[in-house]
Amino acid sequence: EDGAVGRRGERERPEEGPAERGPGAAFHMFVLMEDLLDKLKLLSYEEEALRRHNMRPLSRHYFALPTNPGEQFFMFCTLAAWLISKAGHPFEQPQECDDPNAVISKVLSELRSF
């Protein structure tokens, strides 16, 4: 059996989903999203990133639930570009019509340069 050792010393199987790991695991993504939103608010993302692009603030579970993948991807790219620029690396804001693979490649390349 290949699998990582869990917190209680039990082997976890790679094919196990969140439901098999415990009752709270299915809600972990919601907790992560709320933590992300808190951190973005500390960085003033609403004033600095969203107003510049005339976008609405994120809901508490925006990235936790797949509602509109195209919109969510563009929001992710917008936030990634803003965070990269905020970290001191100039980064061109992606456009909605840009090739998603090219955008992700640019983001990953920039992050590797950190």
Side-chain angles (χ1 to χ4, degrees), residues 5-6 20 22 26 31 34 39-40 47 50 52-54 57 69 74 76 79 89 97-98 106 114:
V5 176
E20 288 82 17
V31 174
E34 288 184 23
K39 290 173 183 175
L40 288 172
E47 294 81 22
L50 298 184
R52 182 180 310 162
H53 302 290
N54 198 25
F74 183 66
F76 167 78
L79 291 173
H89 291 239
C97 59
D98 290 348
K106 288 178 188 176
F114 277 72

Side-chain angles (χ1 to χ4, degrees), residues 14-27:
E15 67 275 0
E16 287 183 336
E20 288 82 17
R21 286 185 245 142
F27 300 101

Side-chain angles (χ1 to χ4, degrees), residues 15-104:
E15 67 275 0
E16 287 183 336
E20 288 82 17
R21 286 185 245 142
F27 300 101
H28 185 67
M29 70 184 101
F30 296 101
V31 174
L32 288 176
M33 181 60 210
E34 288 184 23
D35 288 345
L36 170 67
L37 192 56
D38 288 342
K39 290 173 183 175
L40 288 172
K41 285 180 181 180
L42 288 172
L43 293 171
S44 303
Y45 90 105
E46 291 170 324
E47 294 81 22
E48 294 182 24
L50 298 184
R51 282 201 185 131
R52 182 180 310 162
H53 302 290
N54 198 25
M55 301 172 105
R56 292 177 292 143
L58 301 177
S59 69
R60 290 181 352 176
H61 303 146
Y62 185 78
F63 290 116
L65 299 170
T67 54
N68 184 341
E71 177 186 302
Q72 288 172 311
F73 178 75
F74 183 66
M75 179 62 81
F76 167 78
C77 293
T78 299
L79 291 173
W82 173 71
L83 287 168
I84 290 168
S85 296
K86 191 154 181 81
H89 291 239
F91 194 83
E92 185 179 330
Q93 175 63 40
Q95 303 299 312
E96 282 189 87
C97 59
D98 290 348
D99 175 36
N101 292 322
V103 173
I104 289 298

